[in-house]
Amino acid sequence: MSTHDPFISPNDNLKGFLLAMLSSAFIGSSFIIKKLGLRRAGASGSRASSGGYGYLLEPLWWIGMSTMIVGEFSNFVAYVYAPAILVTPLGAISIIVSAVLAHFFLKEKLEKMDVLGCVLCVVGSTMIVLHAPGERTPSSVDEIWELATQPTFLLYTASVIAIVLFLVLYCEPRYGQTNILIYIGICSIIGSLTVMSIKAIGIAIKLTMEGLSQVAHFQTWVFVMVAISCIIVQLNYLNKALDTFDTAVVSPIHYAMFTSFTIFASAIMFKDWSGQSASSIASELCGFVTILSGTMVLHATRSPDPASVSEMYLPVSPQVSWYFQANGDTWKRKSEEIPLPDFDAILKQDHFT
């Protein structure tokens, strides 16, 4: 047994490490497979970024979804064997996987500044995770329900809902297609609530398997409904982000923001910030600044994917200008205008504009 933690053996740490690496590989690949599916769906119908849901009929998108589910499940199991401080930073591997695969399969250019932005996001997120306060795992669903209904976390939850509604109702229609932080912000902020709910569900499953059934507790089903609702919102806006912006940008920004908000939510819910040393707090602040720098570098050097040909021409109404010669004067009339009465028109083929 480990002298640092009597409940976790080196063997378990190795299992957790391998599962976390496997999870990152699957999740990083899922970004690419899902985007290929979104592109196919967009070529034959409305794109996800325009509110379309044709990708649900695209098999390739479902393969990507299945790959992501396998990755997330592997990540969930990894937390059973190894501490969060070992598992969470390994999520950064998915950024490298998705960026490399996007370069080869999606033909997305990976510039030097993009690499710098990815590195900054990974370093910043790793600094935050490594210096984050220790996790205190509740021993029952009732206990985690008490933590979830404490005033500070209820205030956080209300703030999350208010911010998400503002982003969805006001920012998305105006800036969603040009500012990557809108879609990913919605995803990441809601994601912090998803993790808290899934953690409660994991505790319920573990206790049930140990003989202490949590099925009859209404709190268990509340957490299940919250998790399902949040996951649906996350997937919807992650699809929009992937369909609008380069995967090499979506992946690191999503990872950085999601990790930051999740750690913040966990600290509020489990009150882990109390008792931290000044050096740890300073390191976490430096991590946030590093993440912000990486996000700015990525956002400044990349642009949205070009619209499809059909979408580029659909909003434009065809207009033809006609030149008429009447009584010695030349008149220019557009096709939608009412024709002039009482004139003799001579249509010249080379006068179309």
Side-chain angles (χ1 to χ4, degrees), residues 214-226:
Q214 304 293 305
V215 177
H217 294 246
F218 81 93
Q219 295 95 331
T220 302
W221 299 104
V222 171
F223 286 124
V224 169
M225 294 305 298
V226 171

Side-chain angles (χ1 to χ4, degrees), residues 88 121 124-129 132 156 188-189 191-192 196 252-268 273 284 287-292 295:
T88 308
C121 287
S125 298
T126 304
M127 287 176 65
I128 293 174
V129 172
Y156 174 79
S188 303
I189 296 171
S192 64
M196 299 302 104
I253 295 178
H254 176 261
Y255 169 77
M257 293 183 67
F258 175 74
T259 302
S260 301
F261 280 110
T262 299
I263 291 175
F264 186 59
S266 181
I268 293 175
W273 294 100
E284 290 161 21
F288 275 109
V289 172
T290 306
I291 288 174
L292 181 60
T295 302

Side-chain angles (χ1 to χ4, degrees), residues 95-96 99-100 103 109-123 248-249 252 294 297-298 301-302:
I95 298 174
I96 310 301
V100 172
H103 177 72
K109 293 182 179 179
L110 196 61
E111 307 291 348
K112 292 181 180 179
M113 292 302 292
D114 297 326
V115 175
L116 175 61
C118 289
V119 171
L120 287 173
C121 287
V122 172
V123 170
V249 183
V297 169
L298 285 167
T301 57
R302 306 291 283 186

Side-chain angles (χ1 to χ4, degrees), residues 30-94:
S30 73
F31 277 96
I32 308 305
I33 300 173
K34 284 172 66 179
K35 182 151 188 175
L36 288 171
L38 288 168
R39 284 186 175 180
R40 281 192 185 180
S44 57
S46 59
R47 300 177 63 179
S49 57
S50 303
Y53 293 94
Y55 60 84
L56 294 175
L57 302 177
E58 176 56 52
L60 196 58
W61 184 85
W62 284 106
I63 293 175
M65 267 303 303
S66 301
T67 305
M68 177 170 280
I69 290 172
V70 172
E72 294 293 352
F73 180 76
S74 299
N75 194 58
F76 177 80
V77 178
Y79 281 105
V80 176
Y81 289 101
I85 198 168
L86 171 64
V87 176
T88 308
L90 294 175
I93 303 300
S94 64

Side-chain angles (χ1 to χ4, degrees), residues 152-165 189:
T152 51
F153 192 74
L154 287 177
L155 179 61
Y156 174 79
T157 303
S159 301
V160 164
I161 295 173
I163 293 172
V164 167
L165 288 175
I189 296 171

Side-chain angles (χ1 to χ4, degrees), residues 263-278:
I263 291 175
F264 186 59
S266 181
I268 293 175
M269 188 167 179
F270 299 110
K271 299 183 181 299
D272 292 327
W273 294 100
S274 58
Q276 268 203 297
S277 64

Side-chain angles (χ1 to χ4, degrees), residues 25 28-30 32 96-108:
S29 302
S30 73
I32 308 305
I96 310 301
V97 172
S98 62
V100 172
L101 293 179
H103 177 72
F104 289 103
F105 290 96
L106 300 178
K107 307 304 179 185
E108 296 180 0

